[in-house]
């Protein structure tokens, strides 16, 4: 009896152990369903939605995850290392970035795996099971924010947060086939986030679609509503595409075809960045000299990569060196060797590295201005295989770091855009905009994404869309034949050929615009007006379409609308002679009609025009590090005064780095007058607070305008104004001849305040009938 009882006990015990093992196996399977993306599951719920008719929260119904670098109350922020968890207390507050997203209506569901100490870009970690790349299971997912990218790619969440220091968001986005956005350095607060390298760390996020990417960006960057802007130049960095180890055309042709279809060929430009950086970032030569990198000519791309790596290691040790020396954690040998190689930097070396960074940012900003996109590969290869030595090879590291260093060193914003597959692995391209151009970059991705995906499919599998390509090519051929007929003054034949092009491709504004020109030649003004209106609908910056529609309307006797078209053309191209002459012709017509109606008004008008030199357009671009006047931010706007004239910008809420990109136009009668610019903080219930002011002279700019500059190459610096005690310039101000226009760029340091700068640009508008210069 006792023996039977004992045997039953052993059977039960065996079944129990088997059950435990089965449950453990099942639990492991459940955990791996998200492919190892998460390290902690949690739930941060948004506030209740406001009752109708108020709009819902901007991120309502979206879920997100955060890399294990962001603090959440009650959780230890793990930093990718169990020894860090063991030696740190739970966070006492939640990171402001996370709180902003939750308050915006999104639900946070967990923390995701990061590389060890968020230091590498491989996505492999020995302390936790590495997340599996959903797009290629035998390939690395990329790091440092590997888990966040995987969580988005597996549809576990709608978007996820990461930190990009030397590629921590851009690389895993490219390798996992999702969108990844690195914000401009300093555009989003890093409070409540474990620092890796403070001067390089930028908040970034992943999404599967451009709309979600943009919605998250608008909430994080506190962007007010504004009309999206299209790029006016798309620059392909030809030499950087030579770093690719996959066919270059697999990436470049996708971008070229999409840009041509959406914006036209004229926007596309090619740039050799090696030569550009060599001339615009002279401090790189000094860096090479101090580091004895002079035995052979080292490319500037490699030097920038070296600067990035040096800064990362130096600042990482500044932040965490004491903890490493005290705790002595087990660190990956590759990371350990990189940190031990890094000797302590002198103050002079740090100053030189900062100079490199400042000059690189200025160079990129100068190249792209407010409306340019730089196109480069995200990474040089498809994702390397798990456990391969390729990721630590010198060739891979050099190529990857060269590509990643541009945005890291300059602090500019960059987005990774997936472009399908090559050899069954994800490939991507990266777009870079100037520092502070985050909204513009998000808008550009939104505009181009569908076309990029379509062309990616076509190029990856040409047979699938042969018909589509041949239709577009046929349309172009018909247009070219139409152009030839137009030159030969065969107007009806040209109209027929342009009509054929429109039939093949009705989304190209050029075809309508060209047909309108032919209609004008045969006196079909109504048809010309109709075609121009269609061309403008497709491209609101089509100057020729406004000019031709203005001509058609003038011939139809619709003078006011014609005047509006010519004026709009002048807004787009202030130096356009045809628009200026047409507007002047109509102005005289209106003036003559006015003389017939009254005898007292014209003398007064004539006197005013006799004194007027022209119009000064001041583009208020942005504010930088403006003073805080509310609890932790400000609601800034700018007032500009010259003589008795006073204009102001719109208010931008809760932003001490606001982007206005707003034009204020002053009439100039006396060039000796100065312009006073004052920044205010808008308050609802009290008097608006001053946030500093700056004053500048327009005389140097006017003197440059009086020079005979026609024929100068675009980009020529005509004169410069140096900072001094007599002006408020923060840096040298350049008066530059650009595309037939003279502009002056100003960075003004605000007075009577603790901090803040304002960036602006001057441009001249000649007014028909005025005294002129």
């Amino acid at each position: 009896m006792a023996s039977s009882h004992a045997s039953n006990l052993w059977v039960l015990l065996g079944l129990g152990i088997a059950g435990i093992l089965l449950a453990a196996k099942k639990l492991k399977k459940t955990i791996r369903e998200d492919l190892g993306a998460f390290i902690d599951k949690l739930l941060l719920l948004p506030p209740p939605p406001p009752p109708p008719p108020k709009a819902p929260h901007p991120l309502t119904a979206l879920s997100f995850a955060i890399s294990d670098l962001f603090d959440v109350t009650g959780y230890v922020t793990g930093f990718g290392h169990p020894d860090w968890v063991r030696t740190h207390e739970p966070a006492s507050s939640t990171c402001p970035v996370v709180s902003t997203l939750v308050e915006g209506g999104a639900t946070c569901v967990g923390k995701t795996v990061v590389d060890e100490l968020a230091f590498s870009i491989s996505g492999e970690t020995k302390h936790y099971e590495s997340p599996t790349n959903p797009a290629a299971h035998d390939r690395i997912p990329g790091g440092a924010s590997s888990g966040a990218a995987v969580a988005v790619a597996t549809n576990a969440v709608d978007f996820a947060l990461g930190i990009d220091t030397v590629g921590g968001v851009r690389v895993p986005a490219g390798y996992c086939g999702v969108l990844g956005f690195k914000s401009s350095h300093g555009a989003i607060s890093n409070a409540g986030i474990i620092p890796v390298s403070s001067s390089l760390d930028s908040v970034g996020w992943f999404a599967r679609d451009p709309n979600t990417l943009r919605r998250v960006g608008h909430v994080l960057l506190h962007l007010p509503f504004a009309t999206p802007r299209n790029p006016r130049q798309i620059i392909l960095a030809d030499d950087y595409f030579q770093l690719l180890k996959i066919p270059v055309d697999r990436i470049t042709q996708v971008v070229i075809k999409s840009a041509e279809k959406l914006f036209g060929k004229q926007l596309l430009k090619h740039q050799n960045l090696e030569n550009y950086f060599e001339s615009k970032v002279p401090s790189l030569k000094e860096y090479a000299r101090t580091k004895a990198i002079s035995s052979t000519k080292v490319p500037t791309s490699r030097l920038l990569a070296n600067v990035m790596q040096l800064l990362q290691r130096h600042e990482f040790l500044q932040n965490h060196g004491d903890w490493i020396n005290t705790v002595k954690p087990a660190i990956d040998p590759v990371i350990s060797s990189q940190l031990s190689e890094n000797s302590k930097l002198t103050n002079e070396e740090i100053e030189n590295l900062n100079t490199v960074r400042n000059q690189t940012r200025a160079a990129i900003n100068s190249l792209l201005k407010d409306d340019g996109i730089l196109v480069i590969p995200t990474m040089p290869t498809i994702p390397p295989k798990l456990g391969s030595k390729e990721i630590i090879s010198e060739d891979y590291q050099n190529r990857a770091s060269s590509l990643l260093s541009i945005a890291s060193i300059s602090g500019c914003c960059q987005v990774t855009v997936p472009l399908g597959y090559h050899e069954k692995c994800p490939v991507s391209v990266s777009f870079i905009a100037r520092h502070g151009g985050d909204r513009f970059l998000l808008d550009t991705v939104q505009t181009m994404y569908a076309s990029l995906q379509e062309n990616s499919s076509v190029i990856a599998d040409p047979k699938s869309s042969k018909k589509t390509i041949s239709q577009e090519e046929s349309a172009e051929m018909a247009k070219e034949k139409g152009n030839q007929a137009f030159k030969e003054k065969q107007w009806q034949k040209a109209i027929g050929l342009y009509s054929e092009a429109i039939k093949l491709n009705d989304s190209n504004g050029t075809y309508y615009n060209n047909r309108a020109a032919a209609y004008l030649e045969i006196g079909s003004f109504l048809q010309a007006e109709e075609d121009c209106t269609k061309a403008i609908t497709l491209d609101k910056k089509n100057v020729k379409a406004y000019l031709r529609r203005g001509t058609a309307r003038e011939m139809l006797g619709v003078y006011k609308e014609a005047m509006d078209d010519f004026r709009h053309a002048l807004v787009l191209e202030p130096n356009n002679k045809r628009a200026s002459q047409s507007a002047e012709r109509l102005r005289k017509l209106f003036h003559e009609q006015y003389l017939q109606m009254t005898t007292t008004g014209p003398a007064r008008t004539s006197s005013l025009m006799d004194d007027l030199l022209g119009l000064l357009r001041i583009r208020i671009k942005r504010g930088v590090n403006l003073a805080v006047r509310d609890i932790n931010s400000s609601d800034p706007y700018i007032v500009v005064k010259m003589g008795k004239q006073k204009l102001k910008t719109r208010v931008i809420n809760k932003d001490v780095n606001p982007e206005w990109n707003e034009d204020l136009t002053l009439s100039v009668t006396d060039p000796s007058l100065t312009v006073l610019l004052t920044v205010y903080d808008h308050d609802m219930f009290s008097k608006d607070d001053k946030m500093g002011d700056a004053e500048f002279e327009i005389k140097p700019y006017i003197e440059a305008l009086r020079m005979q500059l026609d024929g100068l190459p675009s980009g020529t610096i005509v004169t410069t104004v140096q900072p001094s005690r007599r002006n408020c310039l923060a840096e040298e101000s350049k008066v530059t001849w650009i595309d037939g226009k003279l502009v002056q760029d100003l960075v003004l340091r605000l007075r009577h305040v603790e901090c803040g700068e304002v960036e602006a640009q001057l441009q001249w508008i000649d007014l028909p009938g005025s005294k002129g210069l």
Side-chain angles (χ1 to χ4, degrees):
M1 186 75 176
S3 174
S4 174
H5 181 74
S7 64
N8 287 340
L9 187 63
W10 281 110
V11 169
L12 288 171
L13 186 60
L15 287 171
I17 292 170
I20 291 168
L21 291 172
L22 188 63
K25 186 176 181 181
K26 187 176 180 182
L27 179 62
K28 184 175 182 181
K29 184 180 178 183
T30 303
I31 291 171
R32 293 300 295 181
E33 276 180 2
D34 56 36
L35 299 185
F38 288 90
I39 199 163
D40 269 318
K41 291 292 183 75
L42 51 87
L43 196 62
L44 300 179
L45 294 171
K54 289 185 178 179
H57 299 306
L59 303 179
T60 295
L62 295 183
S63 62
F64 73 103
I66 57 175
S67 296
D68 199 15
L69 297 159
F70 295 78
D71 286 346
V72 173
T73 304
Y75 289 82
V76 177
T77 309
F79 205 22
H81 204 297
D83 286 337
W84 185 275
V85 177
R86 179 175 57 81
T87 56
H88 287 79
E89 295 295 321
S92 58
S93 61
T94 296
C95 169
V97 170
V98 178
S99 298
T100 297
L101 294 171
V102 173
E103 289 164 10
T107 301
C108 182
V109 299
K111 287 193 165 196
T112 54
V113 174
V114 296
D115 287 18
E116 182 178 320
L117 304 175
F119 196 82
S120 76
I121 57 170
S122 72
E124 293 185 287
T125 170
K126 66 178 183 179
H127 301 294
Y128 305 99
E129 195 167 357
S130 300
T132 302
N133 186 336
H137 286 202
D138 63 336
R139 304 278 175 162
I140 65 171
S145 302
S146 53
V150 170
V152 170
T154 57
N155 294 321
V157 291
D158 295 302
F159 68 93
L161 287 182
I163 285 294
D164 194 304
T165 305
V166 294
V169 168
R170 293 166 283 167
V171 176
Y175 281 173
C176 292
V178 296
L179 289 156
F181 192 92
K182 171 202 170 294
S183 62
S184 295
H185 182 263
I188 300 172
S189 170
N190 284 356
I193 305 170
I194 297 178
V196 181
S197 172
S198 305
S199 70
L200 303 177
D201 294 342
S202 294
V203 173
W205 57 98
F206 305 89
R208 290 183 299 278
D209 66 273
N211 185 47
T212 302
L213 192 82
R214 189 165 173 258
R215 284 169 67 188
V216 173
H218 277 233
V219 170
L220 288 177
L221 294 158
H222 304 288
L223 297 176
F225 174 80
T227 305
R229 292 187 297 132
N230 287 335
R232 297 188 73 174
Q233 55 175 346
I234 294 177
I235 303 170
L236 283 89
D238 290 340
D239 49 337
Y240 274 63
F241 275 100
Q242 297 310 310
L243 295 169
L244 276 174
K245 283 196 165 184
I246 65 172
V248 172
D249 283 352
R250 174 63 184 83
I251 307 298
T252 56
Q253 284 305 305
V254 175
V255 177
I256 289 170
K257 287 183 179 296
S258 296
E260 286 178 352
K261 181 179 179 181
L262 292 168
F263 314 118
K265 291 182 180 180
Q266 69 278 4
L267 264 73
L268 286 164
K269 296 180 182 178
H270 295 266
Q271 180 76 49
N272 183 300
L273 287 183
E274 170 71 23
N275 297 338
Y276 183 75
F277 283 142
E278 195 168 345
S279 64
K280 296 289 185 179
V281 191
S283 53
L284 279 173
K285 291 180 182 177
E286 176 63 19
Y287 167 74
R289 186 189 65 77
T290 58
K291 291 295 176 183
I293 311 175
S294 55
S295 53
T296 56
K297 181 172 168 53
V298 179
T300 55
S301 59
R302 187 80 55 79
L303 291 174
L304 277 176
N306 288 343
V307 170
M308 177 184 75
Q309 291 163 344
L310 198 60
L311 277 170
Q312 181 201 16
R313 295 165 191 176
H314 169 71
E315 293 181 351
F316 180 87
L317 286 173
Q318 273 193 324
N319 289 323
H320 308 300
D322 289 344
W323 176 79
I324 291 172
N325 292 331
T326 303
V327 176
K328 299 189 172 13
I331 297 179
D332 183 278
V334 174
I335 297 175
S336 186
S337 67
Q338 289 175 350
L339 292 173
S340 61
E341 285 172 11
N342 199 68
S343 57
K344 191 172 181 181
L345 297 176
T346 65
N347 290 337
E348 185 181 354
E349 287 174 322
I350 293 170
E351 187 177 340
N352 190 37
L353 293 179
N354 287 329
T355 303
V356 170
R357 181 164 46 208
N358 293 337
Q359 288 181 357
T360 305
R361 179 180 295 184
I364 294 294
N365 287 355
S366 175
L367 177 68
L368 301 180
K369 303 181 177 64
D370 287 326
D371 50 18
I373 295 291
L374 178 65
V375 185
I376 63 169
T378 305
M379 290 296 280
T381 67
I382 57 176
K385 288 188 174 181
L386 286 165
S388 71
K389 292 184 179 179
E390 181 185 358
I391 188 77
I392 58 172
S393 70
E394 185 177 353
D395 180 63
Y396 177 88
Q397 289 288 331
N398 285 339
R399 288 171 185 261
S401 298
S402 295
L403 293 171
L404 296 166
S405 62
I406 296 177
S408 287
I409 291 297
S410 67
C412 294
C413 49
Q414 178 174 333
V415 64
T416 297
V417 182
L419 295 181
Y421 287 76
H422 177 75
E423 296 180 354
K424 298 181 179 180
C425 290
V427 291
S428 65
V429 70
S430 274
F431 294 165
I432 297 174
R434 64 162 289 149
H435 183 266
D438 303 67
R439 179 210 286 275
F440 169 63
L441 187 56
L442 288 166
D443 288 344
T444 300
V445 176
Q446 176 91 354
T447 302
M448 295 188 68
Y449 186 76
S451 179
L452 288 168
Q453 301 314 302
E454 178 187 338
N455 283 295
S456 176
S457 300
V458 169
I459 288 169
D461 183 11
K463 294 178 183 177
S464 67
S465 296
K466 198 170 184 179
K467 185 178 177 184
T468 306
I469 290 177
S470 74
Q471 276 203 339
E472 290 182 357
E473 288 176 348
S474 297
E476 277 298 293
M477 289 170 64
K479 183 203 77 173
E480 292 302 327
K481 289 177 182 177
N483 289 349
Q484 186 59 39
F486 190 94
K487 287 178 184 176
E488 294 168 1
K489 299 185 179 180
Q490 299 180 40
W491 316 123
Q492 290 291 358
K493 183 179 179 181
I495 288 168
L497 288 164
Y498 292 138
S499 299
E500 184 183 335
I502 291 168
K503 195 172 181 180
L504 290 164
N505 181 7
D506 63 357
S507 61
N508 190 319
T510 302
Y511 304 159
Y512 291 97
N513 201 10
N514 288 7
R515 191 170 69 174
Y519 276 136
L520 284 174
E521 292 295 338
I522 63 171
S524 296
F525 302 120
L526 281 172
Q527 290 92 332
E529 182 191 28
E530 187 179 330
D531 271 359
C532 289
T533 299
K534 182 65 177 176
I536 290 166
T537 302
L538 292 168
D539 179 9
K540 289 182 170 54
K541 295 183 179 179
N542 193 324
V543 175
K544 287 183 179 178
Y546 281 107
L547 289 172
R548 287 169 184 164
R549 191 170 72 174
T551 301
R553 287 175 167 176
E554 184 180 355
M555 299 307 294
L556 290 167
V558 190
Y559 298 127
K560 182 181 181 301
E561 287 79 1
M563 182 66 138
D564 290 341
D565 280 338
F566 294 135
R567 282 175 173 168
H568 204 108
L570 277 172
V571 169
L572 294 171
E573 280 187 17
N575 294 325
N576 190 297
K577 289 183 179 178
R578 181 179 164 190
S580 178
Q581 289 168 355
S582 299
E584 172 65 3
R585 183 173 61 250
L586 288 177
R587 189 193 70 79
K588 284 181 178 178
L589 178 65
F590 291 149
H591 190 60
E592 287 168 3
Q593 291 175 347
Y594 185 71
L595 281 173
Q596 291 171 7
M597 291 188 300
T598 177
T599 57
T600 57
R604 191 162 56 250
T605 305
S606 176
S607 174
L608 177 64
M609 294 297 283
D610 287 346
D611 292 335
L612 188 64
L613 300 178
L615 303 179
L616 179 70
R617 176 180 291 162
I618 304 175
R619 166 156 280 204
I620 305 296
K621 292 184 176 181
R622 63 185 59 82
V624 179
N625 192 29
L626 300 182
V628 172
R629 286 293 178 265
D630 298 330
I631 297 172
N632 56 6
S633 190
S634 294
D635 305 316
Y637 66 94
I638 288 178
V639 173
V640 169
K641 289 183 181 179
M642 186 173 74
K644 295 180 180 180
Q645 299 174 82
K646 179 178 175 182
L647 300 168
K648 74 173 186 175
T649 67
R650 69 187 187 280
V651 176
I652 294 183
N653 294 321
K654 296 180 181 178
D655 197 344
V656 293
N657 292 288
E659 284 216 31
W660 282 283
N661 287 314
E662 193 168 333
D663 291 333
L664 304 178
T665 304
L666 300 166
S667 57
V668 179
T669 55
D670 181 359
S672 65
L673 291 176
T674 60
V675 177
L676 177 65
L677 179 152
T678 308
V679 185
Y680 291 91
D681 170 51
H682 176 66
D683 288 319
M684 290 289 289
F685 304 108
S686 61
K687 186 179 178 182
D688 292 351
D689 299 317
K690 273 193 175 183
M691 297 169 62
D693 61 68
E695 197 169 18
F696 62 91
E697 294 182 334
I698 62 169
K699 201 170 182 180
Y701 179 60
I702 299 294
E703 288 172 357
L705 284 165
R706 286 175 167 147
M707 300 178 188
Q708 297 298 316
L709 301 174
D710 289 340
L712 276 182
S714 183
T716 302
I717 298 171
V718 176
T719 187
T720 60
V721 183
Q722 298 299 324
S724 70
R725 291 182 180 179
R726 294 184 301 165
N727 60 41
C728 295
L729 294 174
E731 59 185 54
E732 180 182 73
S733 175
K734 296 175 182 176
V735 181
T736 311
W737 182 258
I738 298 175
D739 298 332
K741 295 179 288 187
L742 198 65
V743 300
Q744 180 175 359
D745 290 300
L746 303 162
V747 180
L748 301 166
R749 181 173 287 118
L750 297 175
R751 308 174 298 189
H752 312 124
V753 69
E754 60 269 27
C755 61
E757 294 178 355
V758 171
E759 296 180 21
Q761 186 182 74
L762 307 184
Q763 187 176 328
W764 187 257
I765 300 173
D766 285 314
L767 197 65
S770 66
K771 180 180 179 181
L773 294 171

